[in-house]
Amino acid sequence: MKYRLYRWLLKMVAVWPLGMLYVLSDMVSFILHKVVGYRTDVVRRNLAMAFPEKDAAELYRIEKDFYRHFCDIFLETVKLSGMSEKEIDRRIHIRGVENINDALTRGRSVVLMLGHFGNWEWVTALARRISPDCVIAQIYHPLRNKDFNRIIVEMRSRFGTENIPMAKTLRRLLEINGQGRQFVCGFISDQRPFTPELKHWADFMGIDTPYVNGGEVIGRKLGTEFIYAECRPVRRGEYVIEISPLSPVDDDNENPYTRAFLHRLEQSIRSYPSFWLWSHNRWKRRR
C-alpha cells in the first residue's frame, strides 16, 4: 500500500515542468539550510577543510548554492523518470561515449568511475548511447525501507540499467564475464569506506583521505578498461556528461586508477565547488 502511494506521488511530481520543480526546490532548500539546519556542521567543516584559502563570504556562497543543488538532485531524479526522450536530449549532452563503445568493440568491459558530483542520477541516461549488446549496470547500496528501495531501483532502471547490490558486485560481474559478454558498470568511487579497517589513503582536496578501491580491484581482475564520467553543470536543469579514459597514476604505489579518479574528481570539484555532496561526512575518520 505504501509503495503504491509513494509511486503515485512521484508520478504526480514527475509531470510538473522543471521550472515549477525548481521553485519547490528553492523553498525546500531554504527550509533545510536555514530552518532545519540539515547537516550544516558537516557541510561547513568539509568546506573549511577543502578550501582553507577561501574567505567566509565565499565559503557561505558555496554552502548556500550547495543546498539548492542538493534539493535539485532529488527533484531532477524524479523528473527524469517521466521525462520525454526529446527533453532528455535537450537537457543531457553526452560527449565522448565513443570511448566506451570502442572498448566494447575490442571485447573489453568497462569500469565507469564517477563521484557524487553534478547529478550522478542523470548519468543513467548514458545507457541510451551505449551498444545494446552489453550489460549496463550500476552498483547501489540497498535502502532499509523496502518500498523506497523498490522505487529507487525502478527509477534507475528506466534505460535498461541493471542495479547490482553492493554485496553481490563481484559475483554478478564474474557471471556476466563467464557468459562471454561485456559489461559497462558504474562505480561511485568517492564514498567513505564501510569497513572499520582503513587500508588505502590518498591526498584528496588537500586532505589525507581513506578511499574504496573495489572498482579497480574488480576491473583489474576482469581485464576491463577504466573510464571517468563527469556530469558537470551547464545551467540549472542542463548537464554535460563527459566520458574520458582514465590514465593510471605513473608511480609505483597501489591503486593507480582509483587515485587517478580522485585527482580528476578533485579537478571537477574545484571548477564547480557547489556541485559535490558536501553533506556527506567524508573525512569522519583519519589515519
Side-chain angles (χ1 to χ4, degrees):
M1 183 64 182
K2 287 184 179 179
Y3 163 76
R4 291 182 179 178
L5 175 61
Y6 296 151
R7 185 175 174 82
W8 180 82
L9 289 173
L10 291 175
K11 277 188 174 182
M12 293 300 99
V13 173
V15 300
W16 287 19
L18 263 177
M20 290 179 61
L21 291 179
Y22 287 138
V23 173
L24 177 61
S25 178
D26 288 342
M27 292 189 293
V28 174
S29 68
F30 177 82
I31 294 170
L32 279 182
H33 186 202
K34 292 295 189 178
V35 180
V36 178
Y38 174 73
R39 309 204 85 179
T40 52
D41 56 337
V42 174
V43 172
R44 289 169 183 170
R45 184 169 62 249
N46 284 344
L47 287 171
M49 291 172 64
F51 300 112
E53 75 283 0
K54 296 185 184 298
D55 61 26
E58 193 168 4
L59 290 176
Y60 180 76
R61 179 187 61 78
I62 296 171
E63 174 187 324
K64 182 180 178 181
D65 290 346
F66 158 73
Y67 277 97
R68 185 177 78 159
H69 176 65
F70 180 74
C71 293
D72 283 357
I73 289 171
F74 176 75
L75 292 173
E76 287 172 352
T77 300
V78 175
K79 179 62 180 177
L80 182 64
S81 66
M83 198 180 289
S84 69
E85 300 282 321
K86 184 178 180 180
E87 187 172 7
I88 290 172
D89 290 335
R90 183 163 59 88
R91 295 189 177 278
I92 305 175
H93 311 288
I94 300 173
R95 299 175 183 170
V97 71
E98 64 274 7
N99 290 300
I100 294 176
N101 288 323
D102 288 349
L104 296 171
T105 300
R106 289 184 276 106
R108 301 283 297 277
S109 291
V110 170
V111 163
L112 190 69
M113 304 182 83
L114 62 153
H116 289 95
F117 177 78
N119 190 335
W120 57 92
E121 296 289 354
W122 276 22
V123 176
T124 57
L126 178 65
R128 300 165 63 242
R129 304 288 186 85
I130 297 175
S131 170
D133 297 328
C134 74
V135 176
I136 303 171
Q138 59 184 342
I139 310 306
Y140 80 103
H141 192 273
L143 302 176
R144 292 182 181 178
N145 186 306
K146 293 183 178 180
D147 295 317
F148 272 124
N149 188 74
R150 182 179 174 186
I151 289 170
I152 290 296
V153 169
E154 287 176 354
M155 288 196 297
R156 290 175 174 174
S157 302
R158 174 183 173 181
F159 305 106
T161 303
E162 179 179 341
N163 292 268
I164 304 175
M166 189 178 296
K168 299 179 180 179
T169 304
L170 179 58
R171 182 190 316 167
R172 176 58 182 145
L173 296 183
L174 281 171
E175 180 181 7
I176 295 169
N177 192 67
Q179 295 169 348
R181 304 180 66 190
Q182 279 76 56
F183 62 79
V184 176
C185 188
F187 287 80
I188 294 184
S189 299
D190 61 344
Q191 302 181 70
R192 189 178 71 236
F194 289 101
T195 56
E197 184 179 359
L198 304 180
K199 297 181 179 180
H200 311 292
W201 296 82
D203 183 286
F204 176 58
M205 299 299 295
I207 305 166
D208 196 26
T209 305
Y211 64 87
V212 294
N213 67 336
E216 178 162 358
V217 170
I218 291 173
R220 297 183 82 167
K221 185 180 185 67
L222 299 179
T224 71
E225 294 201 5
F226 294 89
I227 289 179
Y228 177 61
E230 178 195 65
C231 183
R232 68 174 179 269
V234 176
R235 60 182 63 85
R236 204 174 192 186
E238 189 174 346
Y239 297 89
V240 169
I241 301 176
E242 189 83 42
I243 307 298
S244 56
L246 263 179
S247 299
V249 176
D250 187 17
D251 60 24
D252 296 326
N253 295 323
E254 62 181 3
N255 304 311
Y257 286 99
T258 308
R259 288 185 294 117
F261 157 75
L262 291 171
H263 177 68
R264 295 281 294 276
L265 178 61
E266 178 173 338
Q267 292 178 321
S268 300
I269 295 169
R270 292 192 181 280
S271 297
Y272 303 93
S274 300
F275 290 86
W276 192 52
L277 191 62
W278 294 104
S279 57
H280 175 48
N281 200 353
R282 185 64 182 86
W283 294 291
K284 178 179 180 179
R285 303 172 67 187
R286 309 302 296 270
R287 195 195 295 258

